[in-house]
Amino acid sequence: LANPLTFISMKKIIQKRCAVGAIAAACLFAVAGEAFAQAVPDDATINFTGTVGSVCTFSNVIDGVLGHDGNRVLNASLNSASNLGTPGSLDLNCTGPVEVSVSTPQENGSTTNLLSNADVARAAFGQTDGVLAFRDKNGGGNTSGIMAGPIDQTFSVGMFIEAEQPIPAGSYNYNVVVTATPQ
């Protein structure tokens, strides 16, 4: 049998080596655990904002035709009861609210300029069920109207001239400017 002292010394050596190995293994697991603890995911939120304004377009513009009452009136009214001619029309498409205004009738190559001495000269914008905007030569009237959008409708444009004297024979040509201002 071997020397009991040798056996005890060997036992101590093995215990020491096991203790050193256990400490090394524990340190390895501790270091590895710390490495994984630092790999926590991070995130950031990116917000996007923007503003889209109203955009308006006119299309299908159709000219009107003035009617004559045989005396002092040229008319293409929106009101069919008093209409001698045919109002013009246009389609208005707006993606949001819009303010619509209309100009007074403007001379555009008539044989006689009725506008300079007319009692009444006005233009109107609207539909058969109501006028949204009108303007007369003296600056009166509801010159503009605001409509909530979106809009995709057909509107009429009319005009009316009442002269001081009977209207002479000739060719009469006027225009009216409709402006759509997105809000």
Side-chain angles (χ1 to χ4, degrees), residues 84-141:
L84 301 169
T86 306
S89 67
L90 51 80
D91 292 343
L92 175 59
N93 183 302
C94 293
T95 59
V98 60
E99 179 178 14
V100 179
S101 63
V102 64
S103 72
T104 58
Q106 300 170 27
E107 174 61 43
N108 195 26
S110 300
T111 356
T112 303
N113 183 359
L114 297 177
L115 293 178
S116 62
N117 59 5
D119 287 339
V120 179
R122 75 173 153 250
F125 171 85
Q127 296 175 311
T128 54
D129 60 348
V131 173
L132 295 171
F134 74 95
R135 185 169 297 186
D136 65 35
K137 74 174 195 164
N138 299 319

Side-chain angles (χ1 to χ4, degrees), residues 21-114:
I23 290 170
C27 287
L28 179 64
F29 286 123
V31 169
E34 285 179 21
F36 287 118
Q38 291 178 358
V40 174
D42 194 11
D43 58 14
T45 301
I46 307 300
N47 296 308
F48 294 89
T49 61
T51 302
V52 176
S54 180
V55 176
C56 295
T57 56
F58 290 114
S59 61
N60 300 323
V61 177
I62 298 172
D63 293 334
V65 177
L66 290 169
H68 180 236
D69 74 346
N71 194 9
R72 302 177 344 150
V73 173
L74 288 177
N75 188 6
S77 174
L78 302 183
N79 182 346
S80 59
S82 66
N83 197 6
L84 301 169
T86 306
S89 67
L90 51 80
D91 292 343
L92 175 59
N93 183 302
C94 293
T95 59
V98 60
E99 179 178 14
V100 179
S101 63
V102 64
S103 72
T104 58
Q106 300 170 27
E107 174 61 43
N108 195 26
S110 300
T111 356
T112 303
N113 183 359
L114 297 177

Side-chain angles (χ1 to χ4, degrees), residues 159-181:
M159 67 165 284
F160 175 88
I161 295 176
E162 184 176 348
E164 290 179 341
Q165 300 174 359
I167 297 173
S171 172
Y172 294 92
N173 189 348
Y174 302 94
N175 63 45
V176 171
V177 177
V178 177
T179 304
T181 306

